[in-house]
Amino acid sequence: MPKKRATSQDVANAAGVSRTTVSLVLNNVQGVNIPESTRERVRDAARDLGYVPNATAQALATQRARAIGLIMTRSPEHIASDVFLPQLISGLLTVIKKRDFRLLIEIVDGNADDRAYIKLAQAKHIDGMIILTPRSTDEGIKKLDEMNIPAVLIGGIPECRLTSVLADDRAASQQAVEHLTAQGHTEIACILNAREIYPDAQNRLAGYQDALKKADIPYRDSLVRFADFDPQSGQVAMEDLLKKEHFSAAFIASDNVAMGAKRAIREANLHIPEDISIVSFDDIPWAAYADPPLTTVRIPAQEMASKACVLLLDMIHGKKPSRQTFYLKTELVIRQSTQPYRP
Amino acid sequence: MPKKRATSQDVANAAGVSRTTVSLVLNNVQGVNIPESTRERVRDAARDLGYVPNATAQALATQRARAIGLIMTRSPEHIASDVFLPQLISGLLTVIKKRDFRLLIEIVDGNADDRAYIKLAQAKHIDGMIILTPRSTDEGIKKLDEMNIPAVLIGGIPECRLTSVLADDRAASQQAVEHLTAQGHTEIACILNAREIYPDAQNRLAGYQDALKKADIPYRDSLVRFADFDPQSGQVAMEDLLKKEHFSAAFIASDNVAMGAKRAIREANLHIPEDISIVSFDDIPWAAYADPPLTTVRIPAQEMASKACVLLLDMIHGKKPSRQTFYLKTELVIRQSTQPYRP
DNA sequence: AGTGTTTAGTAACGCGCGTTATCAGTCTAG
DNA sequence: CTAGACTGATAACGCGCGTTACTAAACACT
């Protein structure tokens, strides 16, 4: 049991060659000719010694960390209840593993240093980063492409030149709401997934408006509420709507928020879909097992992560992405939370 | 806009001192006397140049990566639907941030190299690791403490000397089932969260049996089923139980599985809790918003992660943990899925 | 014999930083 | 007036590796 880890120098000594040769052999450097006999001596020595290259030293020498960061601009509490995180991580890891990279997770909450994640890159901890649901107010993001740091946004922000991968929230929302208008609903409430500053919320609101317009239903501000990711905020929003407004259907731009809204409806002794039809957004795993099973828009979170990851790795290796924004297909999953309008 | 990042040498030049002095000042090394005037010159220069120390070089020099790894020994698909992952990550990140460490996520699926995560440590990528729900068959784990690599298990395995953090599943299950017996239920079905080979499932079954014994209710094998993590398997198990057995209550050792069981109950035109009382396990965020809200055992996933992280960081800094296993308190959260037995 | 050319391999530098040993100068005490 | 202690700072080494430039020998061709 060796106390100290073997270095490439140890391998070199054991194989009776120089450290340079060891490096050339183990890294399979092209364009050098070293006879197979020597190569084998080196590889045998490395195996016998249980040699594992020191990644830190490699990173220092190559100026490459072989790691990317997943940056989440949210508070720890929000992260704890983030439904998509496992899918995203899964998507990232499958891509990353194939390319022999590492995944670093970093969280940046609003009041902290705005440049925290930039430092992460400047410190050469990571070669690039994927930024999750950025706020449009985030100043740091603009600095990123000035500094020429490879970065890909998941759920991009307007007027930003960074490469981004997103679902077509607006079109998807429109489709969801059209599912309601098609069934004769004309008074349709809307609860957005997040506050106004989040571009996602704005896009989904726009889709809601598109669908209304197409069905010749006048848009009413009073039927719209902004939630804040969690069920609690959905419950509050729905309670408020039920108290002040009249409607036969609701578009709720997040399954998670819909969970809370459902409770508000139940506590008002109303039923879904008999009294109120509901279409929501995300298709989290429990949407199918809710009571009733929710009709919802599926977001391909895992594929979005994979796509973003591939783009980022390409950028790190110097390939420019073919486009600036990549839209991934959503799908309306029809279950049992809606029914045709009955006066 | 400087093309190249500033190094400590640049700071030294700008401040008119040597690189050594820069290092001593910026790292606040004790026991050296450098007058405040010089210290300020250095700090000013560093700020003006926007100096960010190169973490890789620091790691190489100090032999410390200032990073820990979260190792998951599961397939990417399982990770995508892991309910606890966000809570775990949240727990880890809150601790890690305070200590200025980084979090690396690594996945090791069964058929891959069993030593993959050991290499991670040998490569000095991380200073230590937290291993999630390890399989008891994992050979690599034993190598870990032989190699003196700091590691903490979350949800430990039997006969393993590694430090581990876990919930007392057995006691918690007993408490959950006692909640049912206390309400007069005597025919209580049981659906385990996973198959027999998982220690978790065995522990929860044992707790179920403990509670029955305490209430003088004979244990019947026919009332027990083993599910497989997902709602689908819970639905199948409950359908089978409803077809073959008679019972007024059920202990379902996972909220996720309970989702499926609930559906089976609903589709059999039965109601919770009027026809069947249910107590489940985990307290995932949606348990509170289910219909009816589920009475369930809360697993403090976030605190488990925090605890594990603190232990690991202490180990990395040379402090031995005070015990080998740490049990964290669970809590029975009483909601509305149970009611007293009525013939 | 003299001039390329290929083969097999190495010495040496650089990556950016932490840290130890050392030094020149100043102050104190004997 | 000098040995010793203190102050303020630095030169130089090491961390482990990638990589360039260079060498020494063997070989091929006029």
Side-chain angles (χ1 to χ4, degrees), chain B residues 68-112:
Chain B
I68 68 169
L70 173 64
I71 317 292
M72 302 186 286
T73 58
R74 309 172 76 174
S75 69
E77 304 88 62
H78 271 128
I79 287 171
S81 59
D82 187 326
V83 208
F84 284 122
L85 193 52
Q87 293 182 57
L88 291 169
I89 290 180
S90 172
L92 293 179
L93 285 175
T94 50
V95 174
I96 274 183
K97 273 198 90 171
K98 286 179 197 149
R99 308 265 210 123
D100 192 28
F101 263 63
R102 238 60 57 196
L103 177 63
L104 225 75
I105 306 258
E106 188 77 1
I107 150 181
V108 183
D109 48 354
N111 40 17

Side-chain angles (χ1 to χ4, degrees), chain A residues 289 291, chain B residues 258-266 272 278 290-292 294:
Chain A
Y289 290 92
D291 193 7
Chain B
M259 295 284 186
K262 263 173 41 93
R263 172 185 276 194
I265 291 173
R266 185 173 64 239
I272 304 172
I278 279 191
D291 193 7
L294 295 178

Side-chain angles (χ1 to χ4, degrees), chain A residues 1 3-5 50 52-57 59-60 63 65-67 72 75-77 79-83 85-87 89-90 93-94 97 101-109 112 119-125 146-148 231-233 235 255-256 259-260 262-263 266 284-286 288-293 302 335-336, chain B residues 1 3-5 50 52-60 63 65-67 72 75-77 79-83 85-87 89-90 93-94 97 101-109 112 119-125 146-148 231-232 235 255-256 259-260 262-263 266 284-286 288-293 302 335-336:
Chain A
M1 196 198 315
K3 203 90 193 160
K4 204 87 179 92
R5 296 229 40 73
V52 178
N54 182 318
T56 304
L60 186 58
Q63 305 283 61
R66 294 198 77 78
M72 301 186 287
S75 71
E77 305 89 64
I79 286 170
S81 59
D82 187 325
V83 209
L85 193 52
Q87 293 181 56
I89 289 180
S90 173
L93 284 176
T94 50
K97 273 199 90 173
F101 263 64
R102 238 62 58 198
L103 177 62
L104 224 77
I105 306 259
E106 188 78 0
I107 147 180
V108 183
D109 46 354
K119 280 193 183 152
L120 211 63
Q122 292 182 324
K124 303 285 181 191
H125 248 308
E146 288 176 13
M147 297 206 151
N148 216 15
Q232 174 64 27
S233 65
Q235 184 172 350
D255 287 338
N256 206 19
M259 293 286 186
K262 265 174 43 107
R263 171 185 276 195
R266 185 173 63 240
I284 65 176
W286 297 275
Y289 290 92
D291 193 7
Q302 200 160 346
R335 298 207 180 91
Q336 297 155 39
Chain B
M1 198 199 311
K3 202 91 192 160
K4 203 87 181 95
R5 295 228 42 71
V52 178
N54 182 319
T56 305
Q58 279 180 318
L60 186 58
Q63 305 283 60
R66 296 197 78 78
M72 302 186 286
S75 69
E77 304 88 62
I79 287 171
S81 59
D82 187 326
V83 208
L85 193 52
Q87 293 182 57
I89 290 180
S90 172
L93 285 175
T94 50
K97 273 198 90 171
F101 263 63
R102 238 60 57 196
L103 177 63
L104 225 75
I105 306 258
E106 188 77 1
I107 150 181
V108 183
D109 48 354
K119 280 194 184 150
L120 212 64
Q122 292 182 324
K124 302 283 180 193
H125 248 309
E146 287 175 16
M147 297 208 152
N148 216 15
Q232 175 63 28
Q235 184 172 351
D255 287 339
N256 207 18
M259 295 284 186
K262 263 173 41 93
R263 172 185 276 194
R266 185 173 64 239
I284 63 176
W286 299 275
Y289 291 93
D291 193 7
Q302 199 160 345
R335 299 207 179 92
Q336 298 155 40

Side-chain angles (χ1 to χ4, degrees), chain A residues 240-252:
Chain A
D240 192 53
L241 279 169
L242 288 173
K243 201 183 318 173
K244 299 182 184 161
E245 304 294 330
H246 184 267
F247 52 95
S248 66
F251 168 58
I252 304 174

